[in-house]
Amino acid sequence: MTAIAPQTPRTVAPSRVSLSSGHLPAWAPWALLAIALLVSATPFGLSAAASGSDFNIAGFLVVGAILYLVIVYVTSRIVEGSRKALDRFVTGVVTSAFLIAMVPLISVSWTVISNGVARLDPLFFNSSMRGVLGEGGGAVHAIMGTLLVTLAAAVISVPIGLMTAVYLVEYGQGKRMSRIITFLVDVMTGIPSIVAGLFAYAVFALIFGPGVRMGIMGSVALSVLMIPVVVRSTEEMLRLVPNDLREASYALGVPKWLTIIKVVLPTSIAGITTGVMLAISRVIGETAPLLLTAGFTDAMNYDLFSGRMQTLPVFIYSQYAYQGIPAEAYVDRAWAAALTLIVIVMVLNLVARIVAKVFAPKTGR
């Protein structure tokens, strides 16, 4: 009986990805994008050269994106089939939407930085506008006023919004009062900022008389705008906490209020901190309510309960609206103040992320 020797399996060398393999190589989408941009640039470049005008960058990018979507869909449908072609087309549409959404952000950031960085000198951060006409001066009084007014607004709105959200999630489910509060929060979310300023002015005018201007009035107006944002964000974060954690705490005999403090809130502290920072970022640039309540001044004021208080949004408005001689000095201060306001918001968001990371519950063993 003859034994059959086992055959050694043949090793097939992996073939290179090519157009004939039913799959586009990795470089193909980039090559198609380059072709689409080149085809799009040709008519716009010829038109600009013929008319002597500037090259239309926006039109070039829009036409290039449309050409790319058409080319990549047709090419992928021929080589890879309809399903992969549709996938590449939708991916291109989503990517294009993302880039379009980034254009205003990049444009605004570049404009503010390019116009405001020249005036960011030591004088801008250590002097006020008291007695300054024309060039010179700074915005230290507006920076301090913004920080004080916003801090007071956060002190007012964060506890109120946090406790309201705790009631809605932990105590008020299915109750009529909970539905009423939810409706009022939804209404407050959409009120114009000028209405919040008028409300704060009316309340303090009834107490101190008409014409009163104080920093705390601006804080109250901003807190009206902050509270619904804090409530909504905190409510969503509390609903994400698993009920198993609550039930485990109850099973150990821990009362409900202590479960909320020791289990629910620490578990959602990262999201709550992010929501608070969103609320602060929402109101720190408001101008209309602060014009009505805190007013504006050229001098430093550390007292929220006495006298007018300057803030960065109002400082930007006043420098641009009431230009003196030379006008460039006032415009430069306005751009520098706008850049300072953006930097403050970025720093606050960075601090919030650090706080959320430090106090977030540890999941590792």
Side-chain angles (χ1 to χ4, degrees):
M1 189 173 181
T2 305
I4 300 175
Q7 296 181 356
T8 304
R10 297 176 59 187
T11 303
V12 180
S15 60
R16 292 182 301 174
V17 177
S18 61
L19 294 178
S20 60
S21 64
H23 184 77
L24 290 176
W27 53 264
W30 297 103
L32 295 176
L33 177 62
I35 294 173
L37 293 178
L38 181 61
V39 173
S40 174
T42 302
F44 286 100
L46 294 176
S47 176
S51 60
S53 59
D54 295 333
F55 185 78
N56 190 348
I57 299 177
F60 153 69
L61 293 177
V62 171
V63 174
I66 296 175
L67 287 176
Y68 168 73
L69 293 176
V70 174
I71 294 174
V72 75
Y73 177 79
V74 173
T75 305
S76 179
R77 186 177 179 88
I78 295 173
V79 177
E80 301 174 313
S82 59
R83 295 182 62 183
K84 188 64 178 179
L86 183 60
D87 177 74
R88 290 188 181 274
F89 178 80
V90 174
T91 302
V93 171
V94 173
T95 305
S96 301
F98 167 74
L99 295 176
I100 292 174
M102 291 296 294
V103 167
L105 176 61
I106 297 175
S107 176
V108 170
S109 300
W110 173 253
T111 303
V112 175
I113 292 173
S114 60
N115 288 281
V117 71
R119 189 58 180 81
L120 292 182
D121 49 27
L123 182 63
F124 185 81
F125 294 103
N126 60 21
S127 62
S128 65
M129 290 298 296
R130 185 172 185 178
V132 177
L133 295 175
E135 298 180 350
V140 64
H141 60 306
I143 296 173
M144 185 58 64
T146 296
L147 295 177
L148 292 175
V149 170
T150 307
L151 177 61
V155 170
I156 296 172
S157 58
V158 171
I160 296 176
L162 184 60
M163 289 186 287
T164 302
V166 169
Y167 171 79
L168 292 176
V169 176
E170 303 293 338
Y171 295 97
Q173 292 188 8
K175 295 183 180 179
R176 183 179 181 183
M177 180 60 68
S178 177
R179 292 193 295 270
I180 294 175
I181 293 175
T182 301
F183 172 76
L184 294 178
V185 169
D186 292 338
V187 172
M188 289 179 62
T189 303
I191 63 172
S193 60
I194 189 67
V195 175
L198 289 171
F199 165 77
Y201 176 80
V203 171
F204 280 84
L206 292 175
I207 301 174
F208 299 97
V212 62
R213 298 288 190 278
M214 291 187 295
I216 192 62
M217 294 173 60
S219 300
V220 173
L222 296 183
S223 67
V224 174
L225 301 174
M226 284 184 65
I227 288 174
V229 180
V230 175
V231 171
R232 274 299 180 202
S233 59
T234 304
E235 183 181 0
E236 294 301 323
M237 291 302 105
L238 294 179
R239 293 187 189 279
L240 293 177
V241 177
N243 284 328
D244 295 342
L245 296 178
R246 298 181 177 89
E247 294 172 357
S249 179
Y250 298 153
L252 294 175
V254 180
K256 188 169 187 175
W257 67 270
L258 192 57
T259 299
I260 295 172
I261 295 176
K262 294 294 185 179
V263 177
V264 177
L265 292 180
T267 304
S268 57
I269 188 63
I272 293 174
T273 305
T274 303
V276 171
M277 289 312 306
L278 288 176
I280 293 176
S281 302
R282 158 76 171 83
V283 303
I284 197 172
E286 290 291 345
T287 305
L290 296 177
L291 275 172
L292 294 173
T293 54
F296 54 88
T297 178
D298 293 334
M300 181 72 74
N301 181 13
Y302 294 98
D303 191 355
L304 286 168
F305 299 91
S306 176
R308 297 170 180 261
M309 180 171 286
Q310 184 72 289
T311 55
L312 279 173
V314 178
F315 179 80
I316 297 169
Y317 167 78
S318 61
Q319 290 295 307
Y320 188 82
Y322 306 107
Q323 299 178 15
I325 300 175
E328 292 79 7
Y330 291 81
V331 175
D332 290 343
R333 282 194 293 264
W335 281 115
L339 180 57
T340 304
L341 186 61
I342 293 176
V343 172
I344 290 175
V345 174
M346 291 178 61
V347 171
L348 290 177
N349 278 274
L350 180 61
V351 172
R353 288 182 178 274
I354 295 175
V355 171
K357 185 176 181 180
V358 171
F359 290 97
K362 305 300 185 292
T363 57
R365 297 184 62 181

